[in-house]
Amino acid sequence: MPAPNPRRTHSGNRRDEQARLAVLHAADDLLVEHGFNALTVEAIARRAGVAKQTIYRWWPSKVEVLLDTLIEDTAKRLPVPAQAATATDIRGYFRGFARFVTRDPAGQVLLALIAEAQHDPGTAKSLHARYLGPRRKQERDMLARAVEAGEISPSLGPDAVVDAIAGPVVYRALTGSSVPRGLVDALVDDVLRPSPG
Amino acid sequence: MPAPNPRRTHSGNRRDEQARLAVLHAADDLLVEHGFNALTVEAIARRAGVAKQTIYRWWPSKVEVLLDTLIEDTAKRLPVPAQAATATDIRGYFRGFARFVTRDPAGQVLLALIAEAQHDPGTAKSLHARYLGPRRKQERDMLARAVEAGEISPSLGPDAVVDAIAGPVVYRALTGSSVPRGLVDALVDDVLRPSPG
Amino acid sequence: MPAPNPRRTHSGNRRDEQARLAVLHAADDLLVEHGFNALTVEAIARRAGVAKQTIYRWWPSKVEVLLDTLIEDTAKRLPVPAQAATATDIRGYFRGFARFVTRDPAGQVLLALIAEAQHDPGTAKSLHARYLGPRRKQERDMLARAVEAGEISPSLGPDAVVDAIAGPVVYRALTGSSVPRGLVDALVDDVLRPSPG
Amino acid sequence: MPAPNPRRTHSGNRRDEQARLAVLHAADDLLVEHGFNALTVEAIARRAGVAKQTIYRWWPSKVEVLLDTLIEDTAKRLPVPAQAATATDIRGYFRGFARFVTRDPAGQVLLALIAEAQHDPGTAKSLHARYLGPRRKQERDMLARAVEAGEISPSLGPDAVVDAIAGPVVYRALTGSSVPRGLVDALVDDVLRPSPG
DNA sequence: GACTAATCGAGACGGTACGTCCCGTCTTCTT
DNA sequence: AAGAAGACGGGACGTACCGTCTCGATTAGTC
């Protein structure tokens, strides 16, 4: 009987994609609903209907589960524009970033991981290697294109520019303050216009 | 002149100051040496030579212990200048803040609490009520004096000004980047100079 | 105004009789109401309106508190008849003992102490020295008078006689069985009548 | 012939027999060596090389652990003779009981549980349901066979007969007195011979 | 009539055990 | 080989009492 049942069955000695997705979604949901401290491996397994061992087989820790969801969600919902080169594009990107960080569930995952990185060096390392580092590279590229095009001429270096805009946004999000749209625009104006000297 | 013995052990039904200090120092030391995740109430008690119950009697959680050390240490090592009114004073304050957050052990406590606030709403509430709120008020007052004196005329509101300068500093500290001295100065310049309009 | 307030006041450097009685009654009440395991020194102090230290000053342990109440209560409610010499007197005494052990609150104290003696050698020692020993002596004397008067001629020695009658009663009380009146009489008959030899 | 390995460590989601035995033996040893008050769940776990949770998973309290050892040990070392029908058999059984209660470590467990039953109603209930009740039924059956065979004709009912013989033995054991061999024989004689009426 | 001394209620202290939750590892049986 | 299930040794949680201690107050007997 070759016709394999597509619904909820193990696929022999291959990884079970349904289990993988169930874990990612369970982790995401638990984080949003009950916070990071309630996000235990046992709770994820319970919610996902999966054995604990299945989680430990594929992820070294709950942090890596979250990181997987963050990477997948960010690619979908907050891509760094690969062609953008104008000041307006950049402003738009950071507006999207503010929205992401304050309103998107995936933004909560990011904030939780930044927080956990502060508590655990392993998390810090992974977060940089798999998320912050690659992303920052794309952001630098975006800025470089705009500078080259003469669209902007910031007085700060590229990393400092991103930090000067993203930093306040993240800081306000971390401390539970809202991020008014005007703030992003003002930061962009302050940072990207050429220095008066 | 009875000269009450300052080195007694217990002090009856009054609080034992030596135990209080031992707990605060133990918490501080453990955080710096082994990180937040190793900072358990049991470890604090062990290190301080104190019973667990003594901790629970006076603090509802390890977070409040840290908050107490943070408040006391900040008052000593990073007071908001109460008279400051010049642009130079303000620049000096934020340079001190950057040093505090990246190099002072008490700064690590602050970062850990900001992180934990992201994981636990109770921490968030306490951190605002007992630390961030009062501190922010002093910072706003400092800025208000400088504006009144005609020293600065920022294009952003007072909270946004502080976030625009402190945000990048905290964000870089949280993500393990250094905070070059020049960055603070540049941020201050960008944010405090009058808008070009 | 010399008339000293008789209600609730310390008597200088002498022991406070009211505190003593409050402790004894609190211990008794707690045992009857909530059982031995709920009978903590803190609970006694709470219930008696007395400081813990006051208990520890006068009694080495909660067991000694109970022993004090047991001794006082037994003297009042189950004295060994000092003049008794007839078989009927003896039968009456053991009937009273069965009632004491199954229905009198002080009997519960006795059972609790016999039990605790099984758990703690110190309790065993105190219970014998202050209660079981002296009492057994009086019982032996009672039996000796009856033997001398020719009222009874048991085949067992005096200790064995008491154990043969009291033993089953205590055992049934300890295992929560009732002690029917007929049982005591039958035991007395079996044990006190001369052996057939 | 796979010959399943009997010396495995954990056995999956089935109960680990080695851990079970380690707990029973540790409890037994601790009771004998240090008494009931030193018999804490933590001490059992420590001694058995087992996690506390493993104990709580299978037993609701330390009392049930003891009860398990008592049931297993009594079955081995003091079975109620299932065929016995003569007066001599009965005398032999109660001699064995006296030895068990005064000299066998398992007898100490029984005494400790009778004692604890006095302190805690839950213990009383379990002790009856799982030990005293079933055992008493076997003892009644033994007596019934002897009566039917015309071997004995006691003046007391079957429960009273057992209590009249076992009661003094237990009582002396509980109060730390020895139980001389002659005592059991004399009790048996007094109780089992036909009443003189 | 102040002083001394012991007792009292109160409760903080260092400590042990409680019973629960979760960790990360393991073993079994099923698919 | 991967999965669900869940037992295992371990460690921390927050609570209850232990027995000791120090406090400030009250009250007797002594000088």
Side-chain angles (χ1 to χ4, degrees):
Chain A
M1 232 59 62
N5 181 357
R7 291 204 61 250
R8 195 17 102 207
T9 174
H10 303 197
S11 50
N13 53 13
R14 272 202 193 353
R15 180 167 187 178
D16 182 342
E17 177 67 6
Q18 278 178 296
R20 187 184 142 265
L21 290 176
V23 168
L24 295 183
H25 291 150
D28 219 340
D29 293 352
L30 283 171
L31 181 72
V32 169
E33 289 171 27
H34 302 101
F36 187 87
N37 285 340
L39 187 79
T40 68
V41 172
E42 300 218 324
I44 297 173
R46 217 144 44 213
R47 164 84 95 143
V50 140
K52 265 199 313 180
Q53 185 57 42
T54 298
I55 298 179
Y56 284 111
R57 183 156 25 232
W58 299 108
W59 293 276
S61 71
K62 65 181 184 179
V63 158
E64 298 291 329
V65 177
L66 283 180
L67 208 36
D68 276 9
T69 78
L70 177 61
I71 289 168
E72 300 197 3
D73 289 351
T74 308
K76 282 181 217 145
R77 297 213 281 275
L78 187 70
V80 181
Q83 318 302 341
T86 69
T88 306
D89 291 337
I90 292 169
R91 183 188 312 262
Y93 169 71
F94 283 112
R95 280 179 180 172
F97 178 73
R99 185 203 45 74
F100 180 76
V101 141
T102 51
R103 276 189 278 282
D104 196 303
Q108 268 187 261
V109 176
L110 173 57
L111 297 178
L113 287 174
I114 290 174
E116 187 59 14
Q118 196 56 29
H119 291 164
D120 170 57
T123 299
K125 208 176 160 187
S126 269
L127 181 60
H128 271 91
R130 303 189 52 207
Y131 188 83
L132 294 180
R135 191 151 190 90
R136 178 56 59 103
K137 186 183 178 328
Q138 295 179 281
E139 291 163 338
R140 274 195 304 252
D141 289 350
M142 176 181 68
L143 288 177
R145 284 193 302 273
V147 169
E148 212 170 322
E151 281 277 327
I152 59 174
S153 54
S155 57
L156 295 166
D159 275 327
V161 165
V162 180
D163 289 333
I165 302 169
V169 169
V170 169
Y171 181 62
R172 288 189 70 92
L174 282 172
T175 54
S177 311
S178 66
V179 178
R181 160 178 289 231
L183 177 62
V184 175
D185 290 352
L187 288 168
V188 169
D189 285 348
D190 273 4
V191 172
L192 293 190
R193 67 177 165 168
S195 77
Chain B
M1 224 59 64
N5 183 358
R7 290 185 185 277
R8 61 171 106 76
T9 48
H10 303 181
S11 54
N13 61 11
R14 287 220 189 308
R15 182 163 186 179
D16 182 339
E17 176 68 6
Q18 280 185 292
R20 188 186 139 262
L21 290 176
V23 168
L24 294 183
H25 292 149
D28 219 338
D29 294 353
L30 284 170
L31 181 73
V32 169
E33 289 172 27
H34 302 104
F36 187 86
N37 285 340
L39 187 79
T40 67
V41 173
E42 297 217 325
I44 298 173
R46 218 144 44 214
R47 164 87 94 144
V50 140
K52 256 200 308 183
Q53 184 59 47
T54 297
I55 298 179
Y56 284 112
R57 182 152 34 226
W58 299 109
W59 293 277
S61 72
K62 66 183 183 179
V63 159
E64 298 290 329
V65 176
L66 283 180
L67 208 34
D68 276 10
T69 78
L70 177 60
I71 289 168
E72 300 198 3
D73 288 352
T74 307
K76 282 180 214 146
R77 296 213 281 277
L78 187 71
V80 180
Q83 318 300 341
T86 70
T88 306
D89 290 335
I90 292 168
R91 183 188 312 265
Y93 169 71
F94 283 112
R95 281 179 180 172
F97 178 74
R99 185 202 44 73
F100 179 77
V101 141
T102 52
R103 276 189 277 282
D104 195 304
Q108 270 188 258
V109 175
L110 173 57
L111 296 179
L113 288 174
I114 290 174
E116 187 59 14
Q118 196 56 28
H119 290 166
D120 170 55
T123 299
K125 207 174 163 188
S126 268
L127 181 60
H128 271 90
R130 301 189 53 207
Y131 188 82
L132 295 179
R135 190 147 192 95
R136 178 56 58 102
K137 187 184 179 326
Q138 294 179 283
E139 292 163 338
R140 273 195 305 252
D141 290 350
M142 177 181 68
L143 289 176
R145 284 193 302 274
V147 169
E148 212 169 324
E151 281 276 329
I152 59 173
S153 53
S155 57
L156 295 166
D159 275 327
V161 164
V162 179
D163 289 332
I165 302 170
V169 169
V170 169
Y171 180 63
R172 288 189 71 91
L174 283 171
T175 53
S177 312
S178 65
V179 178
R181 160 178 290 230
L183 178 62
V184 174
D185 289 351
L187 288 167
V188 169
D189 284 347
D190 273 4
V191 172
L192 294 190
R193 65 177 168 168
S195 76
Chain C
M1 229 58 66
N5 182 356
R7 291 203 60 249
R8 196 19 100 207
T9 172
H10 301 197
S11 52
N13 54 13
R14 272 202 195 349
R15 180 164 186 181
D16 182 340
E17 176 67 7
Q18 278 179 296
R20 187 185 141 264
L21 290 175
V23 168
L24 294 183
H25 291 149
D28 219 340
D29 294 352
L30 284 171
L31 181 74
V32 169
E33 289 171 27
H34 304 293
F36 186 86
N37 285 340
L39 187 79
T40 68
V41 171
E42 298 218 325
I44 297 173
R46 218 143 45 211
R47 163 87 94 140
V50 140
K52 264 199 311 181
Q53 185 57 42
T54 298
I55 298 178
Y56 283 110
R57 185 159 22 234
W58 300 109
W59 293 276
S61 72
K62 66 181 183 179
V63 159
E64 299 291 329
V65 176
L66 283 180
L67 207 35
D68 276 11
T69 77
L70 176 61
I71 289 168
E72 299 197 5
D73 289 351
T74 307
K76 281 182 215 145
R77 298 213 281 278
L78 186 71
V80 180
Q83 318 301 340
T86 68
T88 306
D89 290 338
I90 290 168
R91 183 187 312 266
Y93 169 70
F94 282 111
R95 281 180 180 170
F97 178 73
R99 184 202 47 72
F100 180 76
V101 141
T102 51
R103 277 190 277 283
D104 194 305
Q108 269 187 259
V109 175
L110 173 57
L111 296 178
L113 287 175
I114 290 174
E116 188 59 14
Q118 195 57 28
H119 291 167
D120 170 55
T123 299
K125 207 175 162 188
S126 268
L127 181 60
H128 272 91
R130 302 188 54 206
Y131 187 83
L132 295 179
R135 190 149 192 92
R136 179 55 60 99
K137 187 181 179 331
Q138 294 179 283
E139 291 163 338
R140 273 195 306 252
D141 290 350
M142 177 182 68
L143 289 176
R145 284 193 302 273
V147 168
E148 212 170 324
E151 282 276 330
I152 60 173
S153 54
S155 58
L156 295 166
D159 274 328
V161 165
V162 178
D163 288 332
I165 301 170
V169 169
V170 169
Y171 181 61
R172 288 189 69 92
L174 282 172
T175 53
S177 312
S178 64
V179 178
R181 160 179 290 231
L183 178 62
V184 175
D185 290 352
L187 288 169
V188 169
D189 284 348
D190 273 4
V191 173
L192 294 190
R193 66 177 166 168
S195 77
Chain D
M1 229 56 63
N5 182 359
R7 291 186 185 278
R8 62 171 107 77
T9 49
H10 302 183
S11 53
N13 63 10
R14 289 222 188 305
R15 183 164 186 178
D16 181 341
E17 176 68 5
Q18 281 184 290
R20 188 185 140 263
L21 290 175
V23 168
L24 294 183
H25 292 149
D28 218 339
D29 294 352
L30 284 170
L31 182 72
V32 169
E33 290 172 27
H34 301 103
F36 186 87
N37 285 339
L39 186 79
T40 66
V41 172
E42 297 217 326
I44 297 173
R46 217 145 42 213
R47 163 89 95 148
V50 140
K52 255 197 316 180
Q53 185 58 45
T54 297
I55 298 180
Y56 284 111
R57 184 155 29 230
W58 300 110
W59 293 276
S61 72
K62 65 182 183 178
V63 158
E64 299 290 329
V65 176
L66 284 180
L67 208 34
D68 275 10
T69 78
L70 177 60
I71 289 168
E72 300 198 3
D73 289 351
T74 307
K76 281 181 216 147
R77 297 213 283 276
L78 187 71
V80 180
Q83 316 301 340
T86 70
T88 306
D89 290 337
I90 291 168
R91 183 188 312 265
Y93 169 70
F94 282 112
R95 281 178 180 171
F97 178 74
R99 184 202 47 73
F100 179 77
V101 141
T102 53
R103 276 189 279 283
D104 195 303
Q108 269 188 259
V109 174
L110 173 57
L111 297 179
L113 287 175
I114 290 174
E116 188 59 13
Q118 197 56 29
H119 290 165
D120 170 55
T123 299
K125 206 174 162 189
S126 269
L127 181 59
H128 271 91
R130 301 189 54 207
Y131 188 82
L132 295 179
R135 192 151 189 90
R136 178 57 58 100
K137 186 182 178 328
Q138 295 178 280
E139 292 164 336
R140 274 195 305 251
D141 290 349
M142 176 180 68
L143 289 176
R145 283 193 302 274
V147 168
E148 211 169 324
E151 280 276 328
I152 58 172
S153 53
S155 58
L156 296 166
D159 274 328
V161 164
V162 179
D163 288 333
I165 302 171
V169 168
V170 169
Y171 181 61
R172 287 188 71 91
L174 282 173
T175 55
S177 312
S178 64
V179 178
R181 160 178 288 230
L183 177 62
V184 175
D185 290 351
L187 288 168
V188 169
D189 285 347
D190 274 5
V191 172
L192 294 190
R193 67 178 165 168
S195 76

